[in-house]
Amino acid sequence: QVQLVESGGGLVQAGGSLNLSCAASGIIFSVDGMGWYRGKQRESVATITRDGRSYYVDSVKGRFTISRDNTRNTMYLQMNSLKPDDSAVYYCKASVRSYDTTRNLDYWGQGTQVLVSS
């Protein structure tokens, strides 16, 4: 009984910024690893552990910043200096531990579209 709701996508000119958010809701014990993925191939863009360790694909290093607020089970992706090649549908993923299981399950958001014009 977990949902991930994404928001923050849109149309922006090259060099502009967007801030994506992904909020997990439902019956949740804890949200562990989270990440942002894009495109049909679900390229890993940025991931973050529960304690805040972050990892980025080389193409976005220095431009994107992933963060999370564990009190709200919410993850963010601040995207600066956007390029047309960044255009894609961005999906969030979260590893969620529920009360009724000892396993973590992965959940995906519905995707939010980012369009960067040149």
Side-chain angles (χ1 to χ4, degrees):
Q1 300 295 331
V2 176
Q3 291 181 311
L4 301 183
V5 179
E6 302 179 40
S7 62
L11 175 64
V12 65
Q13 292 184 332
S17 298
L18 287 171
N19 189 24
L20 308 183
S21 65
C22 172
S25 63
I27 303 174
I28 296 171
F29 178 74
S30 67
V31 179
D32 296 311
M34 304 182 77
W36 293 96
Y37 303 78
R38 68 186 179 189
K40 294 181 179 180
Q41 295 180 306
R42 304 293 178 97
E43 174 194 26
S44 178
V45 178
T47 59
I48 186 168
T49 65
R50 181 171 178 82
D51 62 357
R53 290 173 292 171
S54 59
Y55 306 88
Y56 301 90
V57 67
D58 286 345
S59 61
V60 309
K61 288 181 179 177
R63 299 188 297 118
F64 292 8
T65 302
I66 189 170
S67 62
R68 62 190 292 169
D69 181 351
N70 290 336
T71 67
R72 298 183 177 183
N73 290 327
T74 301
M75 173 181 63
Y76 306 92
L77 185 67
Q78 179 64 49
M79 304 186 293
N80 298 323
S81 301
L82 282 163
K83 304 174 181 179
D85 286 348
D86 295 320
S87 296
V89 176
Y90 284 69
Y91 302 89
C92 69
K93 186 178 76 173
S95 177
V96 178
R97 190 179 185 92
S98 299
Y99 288 105
D100 59 349
T101 181
T102 60
R103 299 177 181 179
N104 281 34
L105 299 178
D106 289 338
Y107 293 86
W108 289 89
Q110 81 282 1
T112 185
Q113 189 171 47
V114 172
L115 296 175
V116 184
S117 62
S118 60

